[in-house]
Amino acid sequence: MSAAGEGSAAAGAAEELRRRIASAGLLPGERLGEVALAAELGVSRNSLREAFTALAGEGLVVRRPHRGVFVAAPDADTVRGLYRMRRILQLGALEQGWLTPAAVARLERAAEILDDDPSPRRLGDANHLTHLGITDLAASPELTRVMSSVLARTRLAFHPLDEQTRLHALFADRNRWIVARLLAEDLPAVRAMFGDYLEEAEAFVLQHLDGSAAAQVSDVPA
């Protein structure tokens, strides 16, 4: 395969793995077996290694010497950084953006899920679409690509909150309201509440992470 072909294959593999992480198809700490995964994705091992390098640069996977590549498990400092990025990207999009065709398509997909009595995981999918839809308001594919990676890392922090808590159920009604107001082109109303929304979500995730860390410490023999 040519160098251009290898690069295209690597980019495609990275995008597919990013999509799986964002949809909770790959879980924090999961080992990514190179041979099996390359065959599954239909790419060479060299292309897959390039994809791993790209994802490692985004903080989505980590390489552990002599052990392999693993899906990242965000810690509290990482979560704080992700929410700082979200405030900048999403509040900026709400301030400067407009209802683009890309945003409409994404938000309508979120609405379909939210109206279908979804499972916790599907509520997470709707949440992901809602927040990407907000970023689509900026009419910048580059910002949407950045946000896609940020949200994929955020989704890793959400797991296993999807099953152990009512995280997405707690925010489902607000997500329905956000989707409805954005589709009605009422961006100022969403922006007025969105800072508090992110602050509450961040606090919820950090509380869970702090509790998990404390539990792990208590399980260590004295």
Side-chain angles (χ1 to χ4, degrees):
M1 184 181 291
S2 67
E6 286 280 3
S8 177
E15 182 57 31
E16 172 60 17
L17 292 174
R18 195 179 293 113
R19 184 196 66 78
R20 294 185 188 187
I21 290 170
S23 63
L26 292 171
L27 305 180
E30 184 172 342
R31 187 177 184 277
L32 302 176
E34 186 177 291
V35 175
L37 193 54
E40 180 185 345
L41 297 177
V43 299
S44 70
R45 292 173 69 181
N46 282 338
S47 293
L48 184 61
R49 288 173 190 144
E50 286 186 38
F52 285 159
T53 297
L55 295 177
E58 297 174 25
L60 289 169
V61 303
V62 293
R63 282 191 168 99
R64 296 176 182 165
H66 312 298
R67 295 183 60 193
V69 176
F70 296 79
V71 179
D75 59 15
D77 285 341
T78 299
V79 168
R80 292 186 184 97
L82 290 171
Y83 274 92
R84 281 195 298 273
M85 292 177 69
R86 291 183 62 174
R87 288 181 179 91
I88 293 168
L89 291 173
Q90 294 185 276
L91 287 171
L94 287 164
E95 176 69 28
Q96 301 293 329
W98 61 91
L99 191 61
T100 65
V104 170
R106 196 105 60 181
L107 293 167
E108 286 181 342
R109 285 167 56 201
E112 289 175 5
I113 296 172
L114 289 166
D115 290 340
D116 192 34
D117 192 23
S119 66
R121 176 169 171 175
R122 291 291 283 159
L123 281 175
D125 294 341
N127 183 74
H128 183 84
L129 288 167
T130 299
H131 291 289
L132 270 184
I134 290 172
T135 312
D136 285 333
L137 299 170
S140 169
E142 293 82 1
L143 286 182
T144 297
R145 282 195 291 271
V146 171
M147 189 63 182
S148 180
S149 178
V150 169
L151 287 175
R153 294 171 70 191
T154 306
R155 190 74 186 265
L156 288 174
F158 288 165
H159 185 84
L161 275 67
D162 281 349
E163 301 296 338
Q164 293 182 356
T165 75
R166 298 184 68 251
L167 170 65
H168 286 116
L170 289 171
F171 287 85
D173 284 343
R174 273 172 285 187
N175 283 343
R176 289 186 185 94
W177 183 87
I178 287 170
V179 168
R181 296 321 309 154
L182 292 179
L183 289 174
E185 300 190 63
D186 190 0
L187 277 62
V190 177
R191 193 181 192 284
M193 59 80 72
F194 199 69
D196 289 342
Y197 174 108
L198 288 178
E199 184 174 337
E200 183 179 343
E202 179 183 5
F204 190 99
V205 175
L206 289 173
Q207 182 182 26
H208 175 82
L209 288 177
D210 289 344
S212 296
Q216 291 173 7
V217 170
S218 67
D219 288 340
V220 176

